[in-house]
Amino acid sequence: MLNKFWKWYENKYKVIAPLTALLFLLQLVHLYWMTTNVAFFRIFGYPFWDVSAFWNTVIALVDYTEIPAIITSSLLYIYQYRIDRSMRWHSIFFLFFINSQWFHLFWITDEVIYAQFTGTAAFIIPAWISWIAISVDYLELPVMYDSIKKAITSLRKSV
C-alpha cells in the first residue's frame, strides 16, 4: 500500500511541489508580522507594523496553514530521501528544520511570546526561551527557498 502511495505521489509531484511552496509562501506574512510586530517590539520598544484586531486574526489564520505546509513538505523530503541517495543528508536536514515547527506549535505559541514581550502574560517565562521559540519559526526560511526551487523545477520538466 505504501508503494502505491509513493507511485501516486510521484505522478502528482508536479502539482504537490508547487502546492507545498505556495503553503509556505503564506508563512512569509506570519514571519513578517513576527519580526515587525513582536521581535522589533521587544528590541526597540514599539512595533514597526501594528495591525488591527481584524488583521491579527487574519494573520493567525494564515499561520494555521503552517500545519498542512509541514505535512506536505515532510512528504516532499521523505520522497526525496527515498529516490535520491545523493540528497539523503539534505532531506534529513530539511525534515529536521520543518518538523521543529511542531515543537514551536505545541510548546510556546506566538500568542504566548507576544504576551511575554508586551507584559500581558499570565505567567512569566525567561526571555531567552521566547527568543528560541521565535528562532524556530525562522527555520522555515531555508525550507521555503528549497520548496520553491523544487516547485519551479517540477513545473519546468516536460510531461
Side-chain angles (χ1 to χ4, degrees), residues 23-85:
L23 286 168
F24 266 125
L25 284 174
L26 289 172
Q27 290 304 301
L28 287 175
V29 173
H30 171 259
L31 288 174
Y32 183 78
W33 172 84
M34 175 69 75
T35 302
T36 59
N37 197 34
V38 178
F40 284 179
F41 178 81
R42 178 64 178 184
I43 295 167
F44 300 110
Y46 59 92
F48 282 53
W49 186 40
D50 194 13
V51 297
S52 68
F54 170 77
W55 286 110
N56 268 329
T57 302
V58 169
I59 291 167
L61 292 172
V62 165
D63 193 27
Y64 283 109
T65 64
E66 184 175 26
I67 294 170
I70 292 169
I71 293 167
T72 59
S73 63
S74 292
L75 289 171
L76 186 95
Y77 290 108
I78 292 168
Y79 174 73
Q80 179 179 298
Y81 179 88
R82 293 180 76 247
I83 64 165
D84 190 352
R85 287 185 180 269

Side-chain angles (χ1 to χ4, degrees), residues 115-135:
Q116 291 294 316
F117 286 173
T118 58
T120 60
F123 59 92
I124 304 298
I125 58 173
W128 63 270
I129 292 176
S130 295
W131 285 113
I132 289 172
I134 288 174
S135 299

Side-chain angles (χ1 to χ4, degrees), residues 4-16 79 82-83:
K4 268 184 164 179
F5 170 78
W6 289 117
K7 186 66 175 165
W8 171 85
Y9 190 91
E10 184 176 351
N11 291 334
K12 303 295 182 196
Y13 185 81
K14 197 171 188 171
V15 173
I16 293 169
Y79 174 73
R82 293 180 76 247
I83 64 165

